[in-house]
Amino acid sequence: MKRSLTIQPQRSLIKHPLIIVFAFLTLCLLVTSVPATAGERDKTYILEGQIENWPVDSIKLDGEYHSIKGVPLLNYENEPVSKDELRKGRFVGIVFKNEAVFLILVDDKDLPR
């Protein structure tokens, strides 16, 4: 008895290739977006200048008012400073963390006028 060989078409292991493509693109999107959002969480910068105006709970610096209510005031030696020492023309550094005022650094010496 002679056997005949028949060639059967191979079945694809991946029945829906679009699902694999979609999953791969989603994974790529997640991997590339995670470091960007992590870096934005810790955005810290300092705005330095002379006080232009000083209402009760804010400082006008470079044309903008910044609230200092509840914000610690320190000199550059890390010692507390009283709000009474703030006045027009005093040199300060406003430390921002995540777009909010985090700390006010007050220079001990006034700049010459």
Side-chain angles (χ1 to χ4, degrees):
M1 191 153 129
K2 204 174 192 186
R3 287 189 176 188
S4 66
L5 292 173
T6 57
I7 299 175
Q8 301 247 344
Q10 289 185 342
R11 290 186 182 180
S12 174
L13 296 175
I14 303 170
K15 293 190 178 193
H16 300 285
L18 287 179
I19 293 174
I20 301 298
V21 171
F22 180 76
F24 177 76
L25 291 176
T26 304
L27 181 65
C28 289
L29 180 67
L30 288 174
V31 168
T32 57
S33 66
V34 169
T37 56
E40 290 174 9
R41 263 186 258 136
D42 298 328
K43 185 175 181 184
T44 303
Y45 61 95
I46 298 175
L47 176 65
E48 294 181 322
Q50 284 184 304
I51 297 175
E52 297 170 10
N53 196 0
W54 181 64
V56 178
D57 283 329
S58 63
I59 291 177
K60 184 176 182 184
L61 193 68
D62 290 340
E64 292 184 29
Y65 284 96
H66 305 282
S67 175
I68 60 168
K69 189 173 186 177
V71 177
L73 299 169
L74 300 174
N75 63 14
Y76 285 98
E77 284 80 37
N78 218 14
E79 299 167 345
V81 175
S82 169
K83 281 187 181 181
D84 298 334
E85 295 184 39
L86 294 178
R87 61 185 170 277
K88 187 175 179 178
R90 194 82 189 250
F91 190 76
V92 295
I94 302 176
V95 180
F96 291 90
K97 188 171 186 176
N98 300 332
E99 302 298 326
V101 177
F102 179 71
L103 176 69
I104 306 288
L105 296 171
V106 182
D107 194 357
D108 290 339
K109 305 171 206 108
D110 289 328
L111 295 175
R113 294 190 180 133

